């Protein structure tokens, strides 16, 4: 049950276009980490909005915060991301398996 609730939190965190765009941006290789200021500029949103988006991704263990000087930078939480990937892969593998089984039965 705990893993299901964690997965729910991850999926909710990803269910926002700004957060998805941020994930794509970090994953693309253009940047390895991002601050609230950088995110607000890049996404053309206010700093409070950027801060809230980053907080949600951090609470879902998708990102980790790292203080550097006067700034806090956010980057991927690799260990947590691997755990989330396994859960999502398992979910979709089971669903695809069921779909294939039903398609065979329909023929």
């Amino acid at each position: 049950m705990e893993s299901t609730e964690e997965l729910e939190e991850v999926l909710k965190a990803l269910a926002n276009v700004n957060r998805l765009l941020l994930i794509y941006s970090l994953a693309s290789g253009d940047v390895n980490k991002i601050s609230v200021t950088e995110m607000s500029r890049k996404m053309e949103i206010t700093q409070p909005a950027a801060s809230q988006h980053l907080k949600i991704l951090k609470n879902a263990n998708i990102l980790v915060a790292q203080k550097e000087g006067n700034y806090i930078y956010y980057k991927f939480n690799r260990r947590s991301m691997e755990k989330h990937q396994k859960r999502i892969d398992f979910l979709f593998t089971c669903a695809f398996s069921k779909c294939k089984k039903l398609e065979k039965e329909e023929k």
Side-chain angles (χ1 to χ4, degrees), residues 14-26:
L14 295 175
N16 175 280
V17 82
N18 285 318
R19 292 191 290 271
L20 280 176
L21 289 171
L22 173 63
I23 296 295
Y24 284 130
S25 178
L26 287 172

Side-chain angles (χ1 to χ4, degrees), residues 55-67:
K55 178 183 174 185
I56 290 168
L57 291 169
K58 181 179 172 245
N59 288 344
N61 291 317
I62 294 169
L63 301 179
V64 292
Q66 180 180 351
K67 187 164 174 63

Side-chain angles (χ1 to χ4, degrees), residues 15 35 38 48 54 58 78 81 86 91 99 101:
S35 69
E38 291 167 341
L54 289 166
K58 181 179 172 245
R78 182 185 168 110
M81 294 284 290
K86 287 177 185 173
L91 175 66
C99 288
K101 182 180 177 185

Side-chain angles (χ1 to χ4, degrees), residues 1 29 40 43 53 57 60 62-63 74 83 89 93:
M1 188 65 171
S40 70
M43 309 297 288
H53 287 304
L57 291 169
I62 294 169
L63 301 179
Y74 296 83
K83 183 173 66 172
D89 284 349
T93 298

